[in-house]
Structure formats: C-alpha cells, structure tokens
Amino acid sequence: MAEKKFSGAGDDVCPYCGKKMRRWVGSLESAWGFVPQFVCFNDECAYYIEGWEWMRSQFKQNVSYRYRFNPDNGESGPLPVWSGDALKDGIVD
C-alpha cells in the first residue's frame, strides 16, 4: 500500500479510511511513551486489513499495524498489532 502523508488538517481523521481516529496512550513500559497519539482503530480500514497480508508476505508474521499520528511531534506511521483487540486498552477518549 502506498504511504499517505498526513495532511495536518483534521488531526483525528485517518488518511486511509477517512474515519475519526481515537486518542491512544501506550503503557508506561512501551517505547511509545505516555503522550496521547491518534490511532485508527477502524477494523475496516484498508491500512489495517492489508497490513496482515503484507506482514505475512514480507516477514512471515501473523501481525498487522494500525495508522498512528503523534500530534506532539507530527510523526506518523504504523503501530504494530497482533490481534484485532491489541492495544485497545490504551484508548483514552
């Protein structure tokens, strides 16, 4: 899937599916820090769906990723997940 750049407008809208993203915070032990980020938890998002096949074909791993945007530093990219419910316990909105 071609990488889409975040437009900067509408910080909480996924550029892949157009759905509102959720505010998410990683655990204290994670490398993501404790800064709220926007994450697309839409299970119908093409970025997430196609991620399963891409990770299997490239790395032979049964994992995927969700689109993530950090409004603090403008960084965006994949947030690795191992199931449909993975990391949903960090949703804070």
Side-chain angles (χ1 to χ4, degrees), residues 14-32:
C14 175
Y16 291 93
C17 68
K19 299 288 185 185
K20 184 174 180 172
M21 296 192 289
R22 309 287 300 273
R23 290 175 59 87
W24 173 85
V25 176
S27 68
L28 289 174
E29 301 82 25
S30 77
W32 297 104

Side-chain angles (χ1 to χ4, degrees), residues 77-88:
L79 177 65
V81 293
W82 54 93
S83 73
D85 290 329
L87 304 177
K88 287 184 176 177

Side-chain angles (χ1 to χ4, degrees), residues 23-78:
R23 290 175 59 87
W24 173 85
V25 176
S27 68
L28 289 174
E29 301 82 25
S30 77
W32 297 104
F34 207 63
V35 177
Q37 300 186 45
F38 291 109
V39 175
C40 180
F41 281 101
N42 174 16
D43 291 343
E44 305 299 319
C45 180
Y47 188 77
Y48 168 71
I49 292 171
E50 293 176 17
W52 291 101
E53 182 54 36
W54 195 86
M55 292 298 288
R56 272 187 219 109
S57 69
Q58 298 296 313
F59 300 107
K60 301 191 183 329
Q61 298 293 315
N62 193 29
V63 296
S64 184
Y65 38 80
R66 294 185 182 276
Y67 181 76
R68 169 192 61 80
F69 173 69
N70 183 337
D72 234 30
N73 61 16
E75 179 185 289
S76 64

